[in-house]
Amino acid sequence: MFSDFDAEELSIKGVKMPLENPKTGELLEFQSDDDLAPRGAYLTLLGPDSPETKRALQRLINAEASMKDKGEKSNDQYLADKKSLCRMLSKLTVDGLVFGVVDKNLPDAKGAWVPITSDNSYGFYMGASDFRRQAQSFIIKPSNFYKG
C-alpha cells in the first residue's frame, strides 16, 4: 500500500534511533545497577518530512551557499559549522536515553542512564561526533520513518 511509504506522520512524531557502536555497528546496550537486564541506548529524532527538519535543512543550505565563494574554511568556521549542526540536531531531538557521562554541564552519570532532551542534547552532539553522524544520516533517510 502506498500509504506505507508516507514518512510525514512519523517524521513529525519522531522515531527511535538505536545508537550503534561506531567500531562494530552493534547496538549499544548497557545495564545499570538498577536494571534487571541490559537496555539499548537511543535517540528519538524528527524526520525529513517534519516542518522543523525542512526549516533546519534550508538554513544549512542557505548558510553553505553564502560561504561558497569565500574560499577555504578557517578552523573557526569549521567550529562554527559544527556548533550550528549540533544546534540543528538538538532542535530535531525529541528525547533519548544514553549511558554514562554525556556533558560536563550534566551531573556525573558514570554508571547511570541519562535522559536526553532537546534542551540538553547540544552538549551530547558536540562531544560525540560518531553519534552526531548517526543522527544526521538517520534524519535524512525517509525509509527510517515509514510505517511498519
Side-chain angles (χ1 to χ4, degrees):
M1 175 110 350
F2 286 111
S3 63
D4 291 343
F5 303 110
D6 179 8
E8 186 171 9
E9 182 181 340
L10 292 178
S11 285
I12 292 169
K13 288 181 179 178
V15 169
K16 275 187 180 182
M17 176 194 78
L19 293 175
E20 297 176 353
N21 181 318
K23 290 182 181 179
T24 65
E26 294 175 358
L27 299 182
L28 289 175
E29 290 187 332
F30 301 97
Q31 186 171 351
S32 74
D33 293 339
D34 298 330
D35 292 330
L36 297 176
R39 295 192 286 165
Y42 70 90
L43 297 170
T44 302
L45 302 166
L46 300 180
D49 289 336
S50 77
E52 293 89 346
T53 303
K54 289 176 181 179
R55 282 192 296 273
L57 292 175
Q58 189 59 54
R59 281 193 297 273
L60 284 178
I61 290 167
N62 293 344
E64 193 65 32
S66 70
M67 293 296 298
K68 190 173 185 176
D69 297 329
K70 295 187 178 178
E72 192 171 319
K73 289 184 179 184
S74 68
N75 288 342
D76 288 342
Q77 186 57 49
Y78 279 113
L79 180 58
D81 288 351
K82 176 181 171 182
K83 288 179 178 180
S84 177
L85 176 61
C86 290
R87 278 191 298 275
M88 180 198 79
L89 290 172
S90 292
K91 290 177 184 176
L92 304 180
T93 300
V94 177
D95 64 22
L97 196 60
V98 297
F99 196 79
V101 178
V102 176
D103 180 0
K104 65 181 179 190
N105 298 315
L106 295 174
D108 182 11
K110 192 171 188 175
W113 288 100
V114 177
I116 294 294
T117 66
S118 185
D119 294 333
N120 71 5
S121 61
Y122 175 81
F124 173 74
Y125 288 122
M126 283 294 290
S129 61
D130 289 311
F131 300 127
R132 184 173 62 241
R133 283 190 286 278
Q134 284 179 32
Q136 280 177 267
S137 296
F138 189 87
I139 287 169
I140 62 172
K141 189 173 179 184
S143 62
N144 289 326
F145 298 86
Y146 293 158
K147 296 177 186 175

